[in-house]
Amino acid sequence: QVQLVESGGGLVQAGGSLRLSCLASGIAVSTSAIGWYRQAPGQQRELVARITAGGSTNYADSVKGRFTISRDNAKKTVYLQMNSVKPEDAAVYYCNALSWYNREYWGSGTPVTVSS
């Protein structure tokens, strides 16, 4: 059974930093593409950052230079380091995994609130 559990969300001041974690069980992060998505109230879910099995990364234009996605294969965890956080970064952040056998999984999300 695959589970993705996000943590690290919370309240952060604008300009501050936060690190989100996605702990995966039942799936290897080293052979999966793992993405962080976010959804703000009334808006569609959007891709924030993604890391492929090969280690390539891509980012939404809105977060380039501020957010960094990384993974620790041994800990089965993918991180999203959020720096210089802006009010528009406030959302529920979700972890997504696409396995090597092309199945997709989602976590239940962790909320990020930004105070200005």
Side-chain angles (χ1 to χ4, degrees):
Q1 182 182 359
V2 175
Q3 276 192 314
L4 302 174
V5 179
E6 303 95 336
S7 61
L11 177 64
V12 60
Q13 274 195 327
S17 296
L18 207 59
R19 189 176 79 159
L20 306 183
S21 299
C22 172
L23 174 62
S25 58
I27 191 171
V29 298
S30 58
T31 58
S32 305
I34 308 292
W36 281 99
Y37 288 73
R38 67 186 180 189
Q39 187 168 19
Q43 297 189 20
Q44 289 193 333
R45 193 172 296 190
E46 62 173 355
L47 176 66
V48 176
R50 195 165 183 259
I51 184 166
T52 68
S56 300
T57 59
N58 63 285
Y59 298 90
D61 287 343
S62 59
V63 307
K64 278 180 183 174
R66 301 188 296 120
F67 291 10
T68 303
I69 189 170
S70 63
R71 71 182 180 211
D72 185 325
N73 294 338
K75 293 184 178 179
K76 296 187 175 183
T77 300
V78 175
Y79 303 99
L80 184 68
Q81 179 66 44
M82 305 168 60
N83 296 331
S84 302
V85 173
K86 301 177 180 181
E88 52 263 42
D89 295 322
V92 178
Y93 282 72
Y94 298 90
C95 183
N96 170 278
L98 180 64
S99 69
W100 62 267
Y101 45 89
N102 262 349
R103 280 198 64 180
E104 192 175 34
Y105 303 92
W106 289 93
S108 58
T110 185
V112 172
T113 304
V114 182
S115 64
S116 52

